[in-house]
């Protein structure tokens, strides 16, 4: 394997040289590429890909600074990517006769060449081996959740966003759900600013390099004890992805689940495909639990009563286990408040309400008040395995609740109508965004089932999706919270790419990436953020109230929305000098708030020398440390203290005075070191 990896690096270097040769002698480059491809075809092939193929991302809208790497954009109206793809270094700025701002440029590489270009015709480029110093700028929020934590949607290139999260959430993510590009050859993703097509002989190698870089960062974000990842994929890359996951997550367990997401089928080369694969990655010793609402054909015969029998089964034996379960048309539709064991209310039997709903109490056939096995919150958590049982006793219909015996662990095949990606993916998204289109969204319920499985027993779990697309993961997390009262929060990362089919018209209008009119139509702005907002407020993007219902128990009207909070960000790229000198605090402030739990107010600027809010505090002037520490001591919920200082001794003196349970973080050393270390690791 070592030999194969070295070969991959050598071929990667050859391809880099060939790309540069394209600029000066395209015919020679073509001939040499043909010979390289012939040699490559003869190599032994395992998981052998060009791990060191360079990857870079353009940053439209980012101000051009001295020392930046840039590309010169093609003339307005030209196809994106058709201009000069070489990289230049900005060495200075000048003014033209008409007072337009120009940049002096120096070509990167072995050839010495200089040039001058208008700043408006340049786009900053970040190669993934270059250090970045990110910030966040808020672009809006929705607040309906009171004191609940915020879901975050981040407009960013996901590799850089993952590096950012290593500062805020290293080892703190409970579950990652991703649906990456499937690499079908249909221009569904870019590598180095170019769409990867089916004819590209290096299509699979590029995809593996693209995925490996991101998966390595994702691995370090997962909780060290129970963090789990699920990635969906189809037949195009499932074999390669399985090997890549085994290699990247060495010592972890890789388990496949087949999900029938398209019962109508899509005709492949040989057979009609009705399923996709979900690869579940867990640490050895950690078992995910199946919290899904099981379909009838997934439940084995046999059951046990939810009502207690025998010793310690009376109502008076528990304080919170005597409450009604509401049943209508043979289905559980809700739960009532419990009656304390000292409450004088004494229902004698199940009650039929005016609308036909039956309130089922844990009262036996002799009228003895017993109790349910579990409290209401615990029973709601196992709703998927509860069944309504109707029997005839003494000529009367008796309704009771049972716990169905299930298969136990998670099963490798998921089948059911709610997994249909057309009905519960495309049609649900169409209701939320009737004036917008997005290809192939996931079934809302398939994603909810996956999140419920990965986070079973963690009602306040943090869920990450760094290929967020239409925002199904955030939507599913909120729906799951509404179902069981959880306080899960999600972070959704999506770039602002515009589909290749839609770019032509924008380019013809003279627009480019970075222009407001262009960016407003990108995936994150136009789809992801819009969906999350629409789901929370219960209104479509057209302003109309949402009709329809969520297929949950109890059924929930989509027009109700959700009692949730969400905040929207765009990733920025800051100067390390400005950060270290405390001039970019407003851009760094959201990172501190996210690291402290994304609850309560954000300290977005320092109006004085220190601030303390619900979960954390920031101290910028150590002469005010006494007042700062007093405020932290007075707070019952503060968990972090960010201290701005270059002095080891002063930092340690503040740390010694902090109350127990408050974690100290030194600014801006911890921030700068995080990104310098991660950049050096990514270059390996």
């Amino acid at each position: 394997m070592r030999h194969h990896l070295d070969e991959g690096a050598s071929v990667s270097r050859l391809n880099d040289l060939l790309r540069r040769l394209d600029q000066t002698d395209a015919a020679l480059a073509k001939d040499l590429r043909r010979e390289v491809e012939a040699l490559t075809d003869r190599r032994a092939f395992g998981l052998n890909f060009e791990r060191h193929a360079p990857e870079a991302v353009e940053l439209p809208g980012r101000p051009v600074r001295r020392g930046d790497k840039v590309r010169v954009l093609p003339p307005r109206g030209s196809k994106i990517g058709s201009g000069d793809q070489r990289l230049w270094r900005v060495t200075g700025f000048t003014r033209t006769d008409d007072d337009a701002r120009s940049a002096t440029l120096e070509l990167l590489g072995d050839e010495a060449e200089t040039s001058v270009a208008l700043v408006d015709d340049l786009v900053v480029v970040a190669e993934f081996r270059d250090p970045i110093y990110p910030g966040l700028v808020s672009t809006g929020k929705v607040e309906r959740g009171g004191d609940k934590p915020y879901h975050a949607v981040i407009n960013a290139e996901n590799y850089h966003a993952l590096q950012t999260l290593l500062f805020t959430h290293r080892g703190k993510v409970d579950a990652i759900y991703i649906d990456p590009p499937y690499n079908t050859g249909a221009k569904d993703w870019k590598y180095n600013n170019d769409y990867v097509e089916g004819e590209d002989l290096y299509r699979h190698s590029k995809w593996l390099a693209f995925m490996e870089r991101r998966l390595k960062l994702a691995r370090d974000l997962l909780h060290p004890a129970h963090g789990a990842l699920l990635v969906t994929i189809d037949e195009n890359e499932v074999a390669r992805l399985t090997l890549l996951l085994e290699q990247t997550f060495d010592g972890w367990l890789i388990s496949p689940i087949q999900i029938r997401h398209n019962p109508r089928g899509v005709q492949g080369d040989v057979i009609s495909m009705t399923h996709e694969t979900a690869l579940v990655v867990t640490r050895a010793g950690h078992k995910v639990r199946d919290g899904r609402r099981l379909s009838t054909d997934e439940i084995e015969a046999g059951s046990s009563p939810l009502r207690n029998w025998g010793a310690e089964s009376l109502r008076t034996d528990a304080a919170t286990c005597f409450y009604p379960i509401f049943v209508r048309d043979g289905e559980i539709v809700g739960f009532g408040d419990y009656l304390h064991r000292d409450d004088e209310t004494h229902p004698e039997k199940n009650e039929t309400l005016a609308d036909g709903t039956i309130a089922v109490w844990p009262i036996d056939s002799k009228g003895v008040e017993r109790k349910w096995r579990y409290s209401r919150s615990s029973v709601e958590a196992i709703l998927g395995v509860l069944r309504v049982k109707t029997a005839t006793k003494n000529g009367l219909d008796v309704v009771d609740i049972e716990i169905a015996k299930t298969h136990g662990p998670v099963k490798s095949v998921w089948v059911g109508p709610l997994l249909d990606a057309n009905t519960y993916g495309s049609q649900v998204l169409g209701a939320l965004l009737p004036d917008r289109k997005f290809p192939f969204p996931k079934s809302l319920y398939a994603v909810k089932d996956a999140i419920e499985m990965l986070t079973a027993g963690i009602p306040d779990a943090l869920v990450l999706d760094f290929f967020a697309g239409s925002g199904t993961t955030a939507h599913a997390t909120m729906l799951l919270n509404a179902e069981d009262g959880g306080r899960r929060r999600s972070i959704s990362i999506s770039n602002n790419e515009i589909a290749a089919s839609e770019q032509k018209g924008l380019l013809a209008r003279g627009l480019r990436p970075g222009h407001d009119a262009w960016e407003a139509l990108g995936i994150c702005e136009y789809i992801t953020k819009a969906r999350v907002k629409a789901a929370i407020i219960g209104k479509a993007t057209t302003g109309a109230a949402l009709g329809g219902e969520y297929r949950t128990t109890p059924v929930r009207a989509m027009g109700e929305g959700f009692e949730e909070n969400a905040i929207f960000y765009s990733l920025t790229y800051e100067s390390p000098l400005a950060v270290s000198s405390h001039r970019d605090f407003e851009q760094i402030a959201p990172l501190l708030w996210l690291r402290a739990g994304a609850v309560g107010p954000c300290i977005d600027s320092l109006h004085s020398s220190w601030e303390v809010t619900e979960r954390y505090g920031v101290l910028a002037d150590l002469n005010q440390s006494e007042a700062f520490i007093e405020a932290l001591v007075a707070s019952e919920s503060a968990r972090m203290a960010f201290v701005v200082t270059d002095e080891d001794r002063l930092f340690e003196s503040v740390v010694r005075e902090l109350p127990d349970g408050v974690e100290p973080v030194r600014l801006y050393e911890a921030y700068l070191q995080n990104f310098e270390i991660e950049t050096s690791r990514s270059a390996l």
Side-chain angles (χ1 to χ4, degrees):
M1 176 62 80
R2 178 72 255 173
H3 174 63
H4 292 165
L5 298 183
D6 290 342
E7 277 192 330
S10 299
V11 175
S12 175
R13 175 61 176 161
L14 284 172
N15 280 310
D16 192 19
L17 294 172
L18 288 170
R19 277 188 287 271
R20 290 162 55 188
L21 185 59
D22 276 328
Q23 305 294 326
T24 57
D25 193 335
L28 177 58
K30 182 178 180 180
D31 290 341
L32 289 173
R33 186 172 285 109
R34 185 182 300 113
E35 296 303 318
V36 170
E37 290 168 355
L39 288 172
T40 302
D41 287 342
R42 296 174 195 161
R43 290 182 299 161
F45 187 81
L47 186 60
N48 181 15
F49 62 96
E50 297 181 27
R51 184 173 277 101
H52 298 285
E55 190 176 349
V57 61
E58 293 186 354
L59 309 175
R62 151 79 151 76
V64 179
R65 303 175 183 138
R66 186 189 304 271
D68 281 343
K69 293 179 182 179
V70 297
R71 284 193 181 118
V72 180
L73 292 170
R76 295 181 186 277
S78 302
K79 176 184 176 183
I80 290 292
S82 63
D84 186 350
Q85 293 297 297
R86 295 176 295 173
L87 290 180
W88 302 78
R89 177 84 66 190
V90 176
T91 58
F93 298 96
T94 61
R95 290 281 180 181
T96 62
D97 293 339
D98 57 358
D99 206 34
R101 191 163 179 252
S102 295
T104 54
L105 308 174
E106 178 181 84
L107 184 65
L108 293 178
D110 299 331
E111 299 177 14
E113 184 177 341
T114 60
S115 185
V116 177
L118 292 174
V119 171
D120 286 346
D121 289 336
L122 301 177
V123 61
V124 177
V125 174
E127 292 188 285
F128 288 177
R129 56 193 172 210
D130 299 334
I132 57 110
Y133 301 93
L136 294 173
V137 172
S138 175
T139 56
K141 62 176 68 174
V142 185
E143 297 175 312
R144 295 189 69 204
D147 65 350
K148 295 179 73 173
Y150 283 68
H151 303 270
V153 180
I154 303 175
N155 177 353
E157 197 292 319
N158 59 8
Y159 180 84
H160 288 159
L162 288 170
Q163 284 187 313
T164 304
L165 293 183
L166 285 172
F167 173 69
T168 60
H169 292 89
R170 185 187 296 269
K172 296 180 179 179
V173 175
D174 299 296
I176 296 176
Y177 177 100
I178 54 173
D179 181 44
Y182 282 8
N183 200 20
T184 63
K187 289 188 175 182
D188 60 346
W189 68 290
K190 279 185 174 183
Y191 192 88
N192 276 353
N193 203 42
D194 287 326
Y195 283 104
V196 179
E197 302 185 63
E199 294 76 20
D200 190 330
L201 295 178
Y202 292 92
R203 173 163 65 97
H204 300 296
S205 183
K206 289 178 179 178
W207 189 86
L208 286 166
F210 170 87
M211 289 298 298
E212 184 187 48
R213 292 187 180 103
R214 290 152 179 81
L215 289 170
K216 283 183 174 180
L217 299 180
R219 178 190 60 201
D220 292 344
L221 288 169
L222 288 171
H223 190 281
H226 60 253
L229 175 145
L230 184 149
V231 51
T232 55
I233 200 69
D234 71 2
E235 70 279 2
N236 286 283
E237 293 290 0
V238 64
R240 297 177 188 87
L241 179 59
T242 302
L243 291 172
L244 179 63
L245 289 171
E246 289 177 348
Q247 180 171 289
T248 306
F249 292 83
D250 185 29
W252 297 49
L253 302 178
I254 316 296
S255 307
I257 296 174
Q258 307 303 320
I259 302 176
R260 194 177 73 171
H261 70 304
N262 185 359
R264 292 160 297 281
V266 176
Q267 184 59 49
D269 293 337
V270 179
I271 60 176
S272 183
M273 307 299 294
T274 63
H275 77 281
E276 64 183 2
T277 301
L279 296 172
V280 182
V281 185
T282 55
R283 294 186 183 274
H286 172 63
K287 295 185 181 298
V288 296
R289 300 211 310 261
D290 197 340
R292 298 183 305 126
R293 283 25 174 180
L294 302 181
S295 60
T296 302
D297 59 357
E298 290 180 296
I299 298 177
E300 290 181 349
S303 59
S304 58
L306 179 63
R307 187 175 65 245
N308 259 160
W309 292 91
E312 298 184 354
S313 66
L314 297 177
R315 171 184 175 181
T316 53
D317 291 325
T320 61
C321 294
F322 190 78
Y323 51 88
I325 298 177
F326 297 115
V327 173
R328 186 167 60 246
D329 299 327
E331 298 286 342
I332 296 174
V333 295
F335 299 84
D337 294 331
Y338 71 87
L339 295 182
H340 192 273
R341 57 190 166 200
D342 298 327
D343 196 297
E344 295 183 359
T345 303
H346 297 284
E348 296 180 0
K349 59 181 180 179
N350 295 342
E351 304 166 294
T352 301
L353 308 181
D355 63 354
T357 299
I358 301 172
V360 181
W361 294 87
I363 301 173
D364 67 19
S365 59
K366 296 181 180 180
V368 177
E369 293 182 341
R370 298 193 181 273
K371 67 181 182 68
W372 300 122
R373 290 191 190 182
Y374 313 111
S375 66
R376 171 176 166 171
S377 60
S378 297
V379 169
E380 287 178 319
I382 62 168
L383 182 59
V385 296
L386 297 183
R387 293 197 302 185
V388 176
K389 179 182 179 181
T390 302
T392 302
K393 294 183 179 180
N394 300 324
L396 298 175
D397 289 337
V398 178
V399 179
D400 208 346
I401 308 297
E402 296 182 329
I403 304 175
K405 292 182 179 177
T406 69
H407 296 297
V410 177
K411 296 303 178 181
S412 61
V413 177
W414 289 5
V415 179
L418 294 183
L419 306 177
D420 188 329
N422 178 55
T423 305
Y424 298 108
S426 297
Q427 292 182 27
V428 168
L429 186 62
L432 294 159
L433 315 179
D435 53 345
R436 309 177 188 192
K437 296 185 181 299
F438 183 85
F440 312 120
K442 294 293 182 190
S443 162
L444 176 64
Y445 303 101
V447 178
K448 183 176 76 69
D449 286 350
I451 294 171
E452 194 165 10
M453 173 187 69
L454 296 175
T455 65
I458 315 173
D460 59 349
L462 174 60
V463 181
L464 170 64
D465 183 349
F466 52 91
F467 288 100
S470 72
T472 309
T473 298
H475 193 172
T477 303
M478 295 188 293
L479 181 59
L480 186 55
N481 283 344
E483 216 175 8
D484 65 9
R487 291 171 62 92
R488 302 169 191 84
R489 61 205 188 280
S490 64
I491 298 177
S492 302
I493 299 167
S494 177
N495 65 26
N496 213 35
E497 186 62 59
I498 291 179
S501 59
E502 298 176 9
Q503 290 188 10
K504 187 176 180 180
L506 297 176
L507 293 169
R509 291 165 51 192
L511 298 177
R512 290 171 169 170
H515 290 175
D516 289 345
W518 181 290
E519 296 299 320
L521 298 176
I523 291 172
C524 190
E525 297 293 335
Y526 197 58
I527 303 294
T528 320
K529 292 181 180 180
R531 176 184 187 157
V532 172
K533 180 179 179 180
I536 292 175
I537 67 175
K539 291 184 178 181
T541 48
T542 57
L546 293 174
E549 296 175 328
Y550 291 115
R551 298 289 299 274
T552 56
T553 305
V555 170
R556 181 183 184 87
M558 293 181 69
E560 289 183 37
F562 296 109
E563 294 178 355
E564 299 280 355
N565 303 312
I567 190 164
F568 309 130
Y569 289 116
S570 288
L571 189 76
T572 64
Y573 295 81
E574 305 302 320
S575 159
L577 180 60
V579 170
S580 61
S581 58
H582 198 55
R583 299 200 307 269
D584 278 354
F585 179 78
E586 290 187 3
Q587 287 74 36
I588 306 304
L591 302 180
L592 310 184
W593 177 72
L594 287 170
R595 182 163 176 167
V599 176
C602 174
I603 303 172
D604 51 17
S605 61
L606 287 174
H607 301 294
S608 61
S609 55
W610 63 271
E611 295 282 347
V612 172
T613 186
E614 183 174 338
R615 287 295 181 90
Y616 70 108
V618 180
L619 174 64
D621 181 356
L622 270 66
N623 291 322
Q624 302 297 319
S625 60
E626 184 176 346
F628 175 72
I629 291 170
E630 286 179 357
L632 285 174
V633 171
S635 171
E636 296 182 354
S637 56
R639 294 293 178 265
M640 301 197 77
F642 297 94
V643 181
V644 181
T645 180
D646 290 331
E647 297 288 338
D648 292 343
R649 180 180 58 81
L650 293 176
F651 177 69
E652 292 299 329
S653 68
V654 173
V655 171
R656 284 194 296 270
E657 300 299 322
L658 291 177
D660 292 341
V662 174
E663 176 188 350
V665 178
R666 180 173 168 183
L667 295 180
Y668 288 90
E669 181 183 63
Y671 169 91
L672 295 170
Q673 284 188 351
N674 177 83
F675 299 107
E676 288 159 4
I677 290 171
E678 289 308 317
T679 300
S680 64
R681 288 178 58 194
S682 67
L684 297 177

